[in-house]
Structures are given as structure tokens and as C-alpha cells.
Amino acid sequence: SFLVATPFSTNVDVERSPTERMRIDSSGNVQVSAGQFTVGTTASTGLQFINDGTFGTIQSADLKIRTAATERLRITTTARFGFNTANPPRDYCFHSGQADTNIQITNNTTGVDDSAGALIQQDGNDLYIWNKENSFFSFGTNASEQMRLDSSGHLLIGTTTEGHPSGDDLTVATTANTGITIRSGTSNFGAIFFSDGTSGADEYRGYIEYDHSSDYMRFGTNGAQRMRIDSSGRLIIADTNTNNAASYADDLVVGTTSGDRGMTIVSQNV
């Protein structure tokens, strides 16, 4: 059912003791004996396909592709793909001998150059995922877009339209009740800080903060607390507790025992 091509024998006396090196079976399949198939002038140049098995049988061996006598790609017997690695730890592993590894994806719209298309980059321990084009980055689940990062850096969740220009850096939208949850430890704070700098009090010029250990919420301006709502629902302004107020009149407390404090109610003249 197959033809032995004796001219491909490497034996000196091919008539008396030929050694089979290549086979063409009755279906036209070409098999090369265990070793390497090389395209090039020598075994150390050109393109090589290597399957370390035994001729004439289907072997459990990795498929390797080499260029310039160096292995570049391997498909293991467990169907793992390794680029520049002989032992891919995952289904697909792209490895570089340098600190910088890049995977670029382009098409006929983006063109093909260093600044085109999409880029996944591992630089040392840092990971970068880039859309090099002037367009958005979409994230989807359940066959639908759920989040978008547009070309202006706006993060849009549940929508493709940003909010008011004074508050469009993050937009969250649904067609029902919508909200954002900040979950902290039972003895820790949850907070939103309004900053105009990167150090000191400039990092918390204004803030809203909830203390889970004592269950109070406080509000700050100019880097200091100005108002607090305690766990009993009492509103305290310019102080942190109700110690200076009578227990029967402590639902609203304004001021402390130091300095002048007061409250003014202004109404229209009648």
C-alpha cells in the first residue's frame, strides 16, 4: 500500500540494505522519517520542522519549528502553543528573551506600522493593553457591550454616551435603579476624596467619609471635618460629638465651647 523511494536512502549500498527515509502511501500522504525536515542549504539554516518520533507511526512527540538553528515555536502533544519557549505552561505562551514582549494586532483599516492597531505589551513586570487608534476600547459579556473606554479617556459603564461635561470622566447607566457601592472592612473607612494635588492635605481638600467601626458619616472641606452625622442620626456641625449639648436637645448641634458659633436664618421681608 506504499512505495519505498530508495533514491532517498542514505545508505551507500541502496540495493542490498536500503534504509527507508521517506514514504508516499496509497492516499498520497508524504511521511519523512524521524528527524528533521529542512529547507535551506544546511541543517543549521533555513526552516526546519522537527517531530521526534519513529518513522511510519503516529508518535507522541512535540512539533518544533526552528529558524537559524534556534527553536522558535513549539506545539506540544498536549496542544499547548509555545513561542520562544520549549515548555509552555498555558495553552498559549508568548515568551521573549528581552524585558519587553509585544503582541500587535492590525487590519486593513489600521495599516501596518509601529503605531497601528492594538498592542498587548509586557514590559518587565508592567502590563500594557493599548488601542493605538483614535477610537474606543470596548469590554463585553453575555454577547453585549458592558463597559467602554473612549478615545478621550471617559469610562462608560452600561452606556456609550458620557454624562455632563463637568462630570463625564465616569458615567454609570442602567434602565433601572442605578448606583455605586463602596464596601469596606467592618472596622475601616469608606471614602470619597476631592483632591487638587498629589501630597499632604491637597489629596483630601474635600471628602465624604463613613466610619464603619462607629457608624458615623463625616464631611470635610479645606482638608478638615466640618460636619458629622452620628449613628443616632444627630447632625453635628463644627464639632465631633454632642457632649456639649443637652440630651433632650441634641438632634442638631452647632459649634463647640471654644470660639464664637451661631446660626442665622434669613427670610424675605414681608
Side-chain angles (χ1 to χ4, degrees), residues 234-236 239 241-257:
R234 295 173 295 195
L235 180 61
I236 306 164
D239 202 350
N241 55 66
T242 59
N243 295 343
N244 298 310
S247 60
Y248 54 83
D250 62 354
D251 296 297
L252 171 61
V253 178
V254 181
T256 65
T257 55

Side-chain angles (χ1 to χ4, degrees), residues 41 66 89 121-122 137 142 153 180 186 206 211-212 241 246 256 262 266:
T41 55
R66 296 176 178 172
Q121 180 185 39
Q122 180 78 45
F137 199 149
N142 196 25
I180 299 174
T186 55
D211 184 339
H212 288 281
N241 55 66
T256 65
V266 178

Side-chain angles (χ1 to χ4, degrees), residues 45 52 59 74 92 96 98 102-103 109 114 117 122 130 132 155 170 176 186 190 193 204-205 213 215 234 242 245 268:
T45 63
D52 298 332
Q59 296 296 317
R74 177 180 295 223
Y92 296 90
S96 173
Q98 308 173 55
N102 297 276
I103 299 175
T109 301
D114 187 57
Q122 180 78 45
W130 298 77
K132 291 285 190 175
L155 183 59
L170 170 63
T186 55
F193 290 95
Y204 55 90
R205 280 296 167 198
S213 62
D215 285 319
R234 295 173 295 195
T242 59
Q268 181 180 0

Side-chain angles (χ1 to χ4, degrees), residues 3 9 14 25 28 47 58-59 69 76 80 114 137 151 157 175 184-185 190 193 222 227 235 240 248 256 266 269:
L3 171 67
S9 170
V14 297
D25 65 18
L47 175 66
I58 299 176
Q59 296 296 317
T76 70
R80 288 184 172 179
D114 187 57
F137 199 149
S151 58
I157 301 175
T175 57
S184 310
F193 290 95
N222 198 26
M227 185 174 71
L235 180 61
T240 60
Y248 54 83
T256 65
V266 178
N269 292 328

